[in-house]
Amino acid sequence: RRAMATLDVSQLSPFVSISSDRLAASYKGGGLHAADVGIIQATDEALYFEVTLLCREEEGQGDAAESCGVSIGFAARRLAHLHDAHSHSYQWRARDGKVMGGPAAGDLRTGLHASTPARGREYGPTFGPGDTVGCGLDVSQHTIYFTKNGVVIGSAFQGVPCSDEHTPLLPTAGLHAPGERVRLNFGGSPFAFDLEAYRAARDEQLESQLDAIKVPQHALRQMVVQYLLREGYAASASALETDTRGMPAAGATSTAPVRDERQALSTLCGGGVDLAHLQATAEERASLRSALTSGRPEVAVAHLEQRLTSGHRHPGLVHAKSLVFLELVRKRRTLEAIVYAKEHLTPFLEDGLGEAATAPAHPEPHLPNAGGRDEEATKRRRRAFSGAYVTAAMTEQPSGLAPSPSDSPELPCALPTILGILAHEEPADSPLAFLLSPRYAHSVADLANEAALELGDGDEAVPKPPALGVLVRQLQATSQLALELGE
């Protein structure tokens, strides 16, 4: 488990001194120009922290908010200026209550941010010595908010790229008036702000908003049918159509609000791809899946090779061939397995495709640590709560094999790992025994299904990942996180 965050002394500003417990700082500069700001940052990420402004070290220096040089917020590591647009800085300034650095509204799709001018933007009240101010990062809403003496001021920045793994946002404060002293709280002692009550109220509000969304039955049916057809479950899709034949059709009503809603749902569920294209290839892909999961991978290999253009090597074909090899190993036909691997698999290694043949993985979005949880839990949170994960899954061309919430090894592995099963005298009892399991065969079938879609006839676009599949993965990741945290 990771320790609670403290102030980072590895990149200490020359204008500040840090206390022995690394939770308090004092300003030693003259406050004469913008370049002598004393910047302090936390060693680790946190979703909420508080700063208590203490009285000045010397009398006569003034304790009024107007003369206070403190600012607090979040910023990227090793920033040069608190209001630098390129440093992803989001700060609330004491002397005038303005916010500065980040934009009023960011663009999550592109990640572009236009900087708020250095003079700041109107936001909230001033604060000074004797006040305790806090700053929170709401990753579910991509916003940053501030509090003063236990009362929330409100959202200050929207569209914050809190899922950017390369520029993590750290608790940050700036001091710029002689003799200023502050003490920070990263959760080691009770906050002045009731964070749990705030989160509970926010969750209740989100649930209320979700409850107000009415999804028509035909939209749910469309989601399920699109998922079944895209994954090659033609018989199940046909059975569903038969069982739901009495449900209202998608065009049963013509009111404008419903049309608009249906258009939005159609974009989400189908991504603009004609379901007829999925239907036309569903039977073929169902046969491909059946061959791979019933011990006949050579049939699937032959089919894919017929569809491939000269020199085209898709991960689906590579792993279908690896399944032929594994089937020979499972049947203890070791010599045949060695001969097959040498003829059909080692060429991929020689061409440098051994690693590339693994299932494409979606990028793991970054999410701040909250209260000393370990690295693995942080990874879970990234997948469970970061909007960037869903965005990537919906817009890229994945294999249908995005990282599972349990980080199961039973996803298509690199070829060197697969070939390594020959090193074990009893493969079925070895650490690589999962390669011989039906579950692994199903994961290869998912990848082969993607290959069949990409190798389809005509100019049809490869259908986007099914909305239902993305939602299920999101639910699995969230459930796994809840189990780990005991919630």
Side-chain angles (χ1 to χ4, degrees):
R1 301 183 67 85
R2 300 169 72 175
M4 189 71 64
T6 58
L7 291 176
D8 187 359
V9 296
S10 64
Q11 298 290 329
L12 189 61
S13 167
F15 303 108
V16 296
S17 63
I18 304 297
S19 63
S20 58
D21 64 359
R22 297 186 181 182
L23 292 176
S26 57
Y27 182 65
K28 300 302 181 182
L32 301 177
H33 48 79
D36 66 352
V37 176
I39 300 173
I40 54 176
Q41 283 192 308
T43 55
D44 204 352
E45 302 153 88
L47 296 180
Y48 181 80
F49 72 102
E50 289 184 341
V51 176
T52 298
L53 283 68
L54 308 175
C55 294
R56 303 289 179 85
E57 290 181 332
E58 298 180 16
E59 295 183 3
Q61 292 180 318
D63 285 338
E66 291 76 10
S67 63
C68 186
V70 174
S71 62
I72 75 161
F74 287 99
R77 189 183 300 276
R78 300 177 183 175
L79 75 170
H81 301 287
L82 291 180
H83 53 78
D84 187 345
H86 301 290
S87 65
H88 294 275
S89 172
Y90 305 86
Q91 303 292 316
W92 180 27
R93 194 160 54 193
R95 62 181 173 84
D96 55 14
K98 293 182 177 180
V99 289
M100 56 186 183
D107 187 339
L108 285 178
R109 183 180 60 83
T110 64
L112 296 178
H113 280 65
S115 178
T116 298
R119 61 180 177 273
R121 169 170 50 83
E122 297 295 337
Y123 169 65
T126 61
F127 55 93
D131 291 324
T132 295
V133 290
C135 183
L137 178 62
D138 189 334
V139 295
S140 66
Q141 301 294 306
H142 288 267
T143 61
I144 287 178
Y145 62 93
F146 294 97
T147 67
K148 178 180 178 181
N149 297 327
V151 179
V152 64
I153 306 302
S155 174
F157 300 99
Q158 295 80 41
V160 178
C162 52
S163 59
D164 188 346
E165 187 171 8
H166 302 292
T167 54
L169 297 177
L170 299 173
T172 303
L175 293 80
H176 201 212
E180 276 182 331
R181 298 183 300 142
V182 295
R183 186 164 188 83
L184 290 86
N185 179 10
F186 298 107
S189 57
F191 290 125
F193 177 59
D194 192 339
L195 185 60
E196 294 304 319
Y198 171 79
R199 289 175 173 171
R202 179 204 59 190
D203 292 345
E204 184 177 351
Q205 181 182 19
L206 289 175
E207 289 180 9
S208 177
Q209 292 173 350
L210 291 174
D211 289 341
I213 300 175
K214 305 301 180 184
V215 182
Q217 287 184 319
H218 71 263
L220 294 175
R221 178 176 59 185
Q222 182 179 359
M223 289 181 68
V224 176
V225 169
Q226 189 243 357
Y227 172 80
L228 293 173
L229 290 178
R230 192 185 188 285
E231 298 303 311
Y233 298 107
S236 297
S238 177
L240 178 62
E241 291 283 9
T242 300
D243 291 343
T244 59
R245 196 165 290 165
M247 292 176 58
T253 179
S254 59
T255 61
V258 175
R259 278 203 307 270
D260 294 340
E261 181 183 56
R262 185 161 58 248
Q263 180 62 38
L265 288 166
S266 176
T267 300
L268 169 66
C269 301
V273 177
D274 188 359
L275 289 180
H277 172 58
L278 292 176
Q279 182 71 61
T281 60
E283 292 290 348
E284 170 193 359
R285 290 182 288 110
S287 299
L288 198 66
R289 181 179 293 277
S290 176
L292 289 168
T293 57
S294 61
R296 298 178 292 113
E298 66 281 355
V299 175
V301 169
H303 176 79
L304 288 174
E305 285 184 327
Q306 288 177 358
R307 302 291 299 275
L308 281 169
T309 58
S310 177
H312 190 147
R313 297 182 177 183
H314 189 281
L317 174 62
V318 177
H319 283 290
K321 287 188 173 184
S322 73
L323 209 57
V324 175
F325 163 77
L326 291 170
E327 186 66 17
L328 292 173
V329 171
R330 189 182 66 82
K331 294 178 178 178
R332 294 181 176 273
R333 294 158 58 179
T334 306
L335 183 58
E336 292 179 60
I338 294 174
V339 172
Y340 184 88
K342 183 176 181 179
E343 181 178 353
H344 297 280
L345 296 180
T346 54
F348 294 115
L349 292 174
E350 294 168 359
D351 292 344
L353 297 178
E355 293 300 327
T358 56
H362 301 307
E364 291 184 4
H366 180 72
L367 191 65
N369 189 19
R373 293 168 185 148
D374 57 32
E375 292 281 0
E376 204 60 32
T378 300
K379 291 181 180 179
R380 302 289 186 270
R381 276 198 317 287
R382 290 174 185 169
R383 296 192 183 113
F385 297 122
S386 174
Y389 175 63
V390 178
T391 301
M394 291 295 289
T395 57
E396 294 180 359
Q397 273 188 17
S399 66
L401 293 170
S404 72
S406 60
D407 281 334
S408 169
E410 299 180 21
L411 300 175
C413 298
L415 285 183
T417 301
I418 295 173
L419 296 176
I421 198 171
L422 289 174
H424 300 276
E425 186 175 350
E426 294 293 337
D429 296 326
S430 73
L432 298 178
F434 68 88
L435 294 171
L436 308 177
S437 68
R439 183 177 177 181
Y440 186 82
H442 277 282
S443 69
V444 173
D446 288 339
L447 198 54
N449 180 73
E450 293 296 323
L453 284 171
E454 293 181 24
L455 300 172
D457 297 327
D459 297 327
E460 293 284 355
V462 178
K464 292 181 180 180
L468 183 60
V470 174
L471 293 174
V472 168
R473 291 180 188 279
Q474 190 80 350
L475 177 61
Q476 289 173 335
T478 305
S479 300
Q480 180 70 22
L481 172 64
L483 287 174
E484 291 178 353
L485 302 181
E487 298 175 355

